């Protein structure tokens, strides 16, 4: 599966978002080296700080299933006005850093641009031990 194909899957995942507080639906799809796919969406909570980003749920699902190397991830913020408002937050970039992510695809709603980035360009000098 090529990076751009994942954007459509991320948009579908965003439709399952639980985001009654922000009304900002996000979907994410993690790709493994053997073509495995793990989907996630943001899961909000009445205690706002307990909310989880879409990327985090996708990464957690992938890792819990045994994945240790993430090739790429697609993120779709379907309620963002445009792609500029659809980039992963800093915390999610660090989560992606942990598993060797090579690229990130970002998109917003249907019919919007799909942007490809090398991960290092989005998160240079990421922290690792
Ligand atoms: N959100 C994500 O799912 N991923 C990000 O990278 C940034 C923000 C979610 C968190 C919250 O549910 C909503 O978007 C608004 O901040």
């Amino acid at each position: 599966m090529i990076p751009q194909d994942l954007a459509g899957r991320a948009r579908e995942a965003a439709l399952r978002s639980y985001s009654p507080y922000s009304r900002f639906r996000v979907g994410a799809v993690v790709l493994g080296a053997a073509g495995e796919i793990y989907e996630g969406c943001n899961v909000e909570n009445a205690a706002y700080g307990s909310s989880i980003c879409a990327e985090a749920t996708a990464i957690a699902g992938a890792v819990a299933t045994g994945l240790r190397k993430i090739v790429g991830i697609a993120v779709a913020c379907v309620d963002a006005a445009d792609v500029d408002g659809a980039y992963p937050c800093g915390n999610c970039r660090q989560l992606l850093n942990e598993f060797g992510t090579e690229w990130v695809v970002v998109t917003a709603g249907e019919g919007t641009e799909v942007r490809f980035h090398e991960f290092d360009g989005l998160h240079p000098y990421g922290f690792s031990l």
Side-chain angles (χ1 to χ4, degrees):
M1 181 163 302
I2 65 167
Q4 282 73 7
D5 291 340
L6 283 189
R9 293 287 294 261
R11 283 198 194 100
E12 287 173 20
L15 303 183
R16 297 191 293 275
S17 163
Y18 178 74
S19 46
Y21 304 106
S22 73
R23 305 255 171 226
F24 191 83
R25 295 168 296 171
V26 186
V29 182
V30 160
L31 180 68
E36 320 94 299
I37 279 178
Y38 304 89
E39 299 184 338
C41 63
N42 54 332
V43 180
E44 297 187 346
N45 193 275
Y48 297 166
S50 298
S51 300
I52 311 167
C53 285
E55 300 91 321
T57 64
I59 294 163
V63 173
T65 309
L67 200 78
R68 290 293 182 272
K69 158 72 185 169
I70 292 175
V71 175
I73 186 169
V75 181
C77 294
V78 295
D79 297 312
D82 57 28
V83 187
D84 285 343
Y87 279 75
C89 74
N91 185 61
C92 287
R93 294 180 199 205
Q94 179 59 30
L95 293 178
L96 290 164
N97 187 75
E98 183 77 16
F99 300 103
T101 306
E102 295 170 15
W103 47 259
V104 178
V105 166
V106 185
T107 194
E110 201 69 49
T112 57
E113 183 187 354
V114 175
R115 266 189 220 154
F116 177 91
H117 291 273
E118 299 291 342
F119 181 71
D120 195 49
L122 294 183
H123 193 66
Y125 303 106
F127 182 75
S128 55
L129 289 174

